[in-house]
Amino acid sequence: MTGRRCQIESLSNPLIKRMRLLREKRHRRAEGLFLAEGLRIATEARESGVLPLWLFLGPDGAAHPLAAALIAATLAAGGEVIDTTPAILSKLSGKDNAQTVVGIYAEPKTTLADLDRTTAPIWLVAERLRDPGNLGTMLRTGDAVGAGGLILLDESTDPYAVEAVRASMGAIFTQALVQARWDEFLPWLRQGPGQLVATWLGGDTQDYQAVRYAAPTFILTGNESQGMPLEYADAADVRVKMPMLGKADSLNAAVATAVMAYEVLNQRRG
């Protein structure tokens, strides 16, 4: 099925009104859609085999050399390409200086049962992650180290919020993303191979470089301000911490995850 290309210049257009609502979580959930802005992110998605259902292009975006491949692929997949104005792009993204390309994508419905843990040596797990910037950074870290994906536990921030998608710099399309509860995740993990490693500030910890990590390694990071519950740390196969030589007592959650992920990667490389 071939899609169509059209032009929309009115802010009162019904499709524009509908897509603007995707900035709100309840509307994203109801529609099963999310918004990603920027030609770079849309190109990352295309190269990962993910194409938008609707592709909005400003004059500058449509003229970019990368846009031709994106337009052709979207139309070939049955999507709709809309040439529009900078003002409409700003309304869609909620930014005054909006990107010249905005894509509307179907939200993946990936579950724990869909994951094949043997496809990657590293998996990232975040418990009650609140900051969309941290979420995006973790996805980028996962992409960089060849992780299989990110598992969000309990009441974490919406990974498909515009801010989280933007912070992922396209990694939201390259990494598997699952939202689950702890009481779902732990039984699933124990049904197959996997070493659960908790970054933990409490007792009974080892230096993060003193442990030999077994694949697949599931790196569990707790909530940014409260850390993880004792129950979660107790369930881990190993609890580790990093040396803190200054006055701060902990690292940013995304930074700590990155340090751990690269330690696991470096052990495998070595």
Side-chain angles (χ1 to χ4, degrees):
M1 181 179 72
T2 302
R4 72 185 188 109
R5 187 167 185 175
C6 64
Q7 187 166 1
I8 296 177
E9 296 184 344
S10 172
L11 289 168
S12 61
N13 181 279
L15 180 64
I16 301 303
K17 289 183 175 180
R18 178 186 169 196
M19 296 299 104
R20 285 176 61 184
L21 294 175
L22 295 179
R23 298 207 306 269
E24 300 177 24
K25 181 178 180 179
R26 64 190 179 95
H27 288 289
R28 288 194 297 275
R29 290 285 175 86
E31 294 269 15
L33 301 171
F34 71 98
L35 180 151
E37 56 173 326
L39 182 57
R40 175 180 173 180
I41 289 181
T43 299
E44 289 271 4
R46 177 181 64 81
E47 292 176 348
S48 300
V50 182
L51 293 165
L53 302 176
W54 290 273
L55 178 65
F56 294 87
L57 297 161
D60 293 339
H64 194 283
L66 286 175
L70 181 59
I71 291 168
T74 300
L75 291 173
E80 189 168 353
V81 176
I82 298 119
D83 295 291
T84 192
T85 66
I88 287 178
L89 292 172
S90 292
K91 288 295 184 182
L92 292 174
S93 69
K95 291 174 60 181
D96 291 335
N97 57 337
Q99 298 276 347
T100 57
V101 174
V102 170
I104 308 297
Y105 295 86
E107 180 181 322
K109 302 298 183 184
T110 309
T111 68
L112 290 170
D114 297 323
L115 298 181
D116 180 354
R117 69 185 74 196
T118 65
T119 59
I122 301 173
W123 295 81
L124 306 183
V125 187
E127 184 264 331
R128 289 178 302 144
L129 192 68
R130 300 296 193 191
D131 184 82
N134 280 340
L135 195 156
T137 300
M138 286 188 182
L139 286 168
R140 291 175 67 185
T141 297
D143 181 85
V145 301
L150 173 63
I151 300 169
L152 294 173
L153 298 179
D154 304 332
E155 293 301 317
S156 293
T157 190
D158 183 2
Y160 299 104
V162 173
E163 299 82 3
V165 175
R166 185 183 300 138
S168 81
M169 296 295 289
I172 197 164
F173 296 108
T174 68
Q175 292 285 286
L177 183 59
V178 172
Q179 301 175 76
R181 299 190 311 272
W182 170 255
D183 61 6
E184 296 170 325
F185 167 71
L186 190 60
W188 170 83
L189 178 67
R190 297 313 183 196
Q191 289 171 5
Q195 182 187 43
L196 184 60
V197 179
T199 55
W200 178 241
L201 293 176
D204 189 24
T205 60
Q206 300 181 61
D207 184 279
Y208 79 112
Q209 290 185 319
V211 176
R212 302 307 299 176
Y213 298 104
T217 307
F218 289 80
I219 301 170
L220 173 61
T221 304
N223 173 267
E224 291 98 334
S225 60
Q226 300 172 349
M228 74 181 68
L230 178 60
E231 172 193 357
Y232 294 22
D234 282 346
D237 298 301
V238 61
R239 289 162 290 281
V240 299
K241 64 181 176 182
M242 300 150 204
M244 302 294 297
L245 305 182
K247 295 185 179 298
D249 62 359
S250 64
L251 288 173
N252 168 276
V255 172
T257 299
V259 172
M260 278 298 309
Y262 270 97
E263 175 60 24
V264 176
L265 175 64
N266 285 336
Q267 285 192 13
R268 294 189 61 80
R269 293 172 66 208

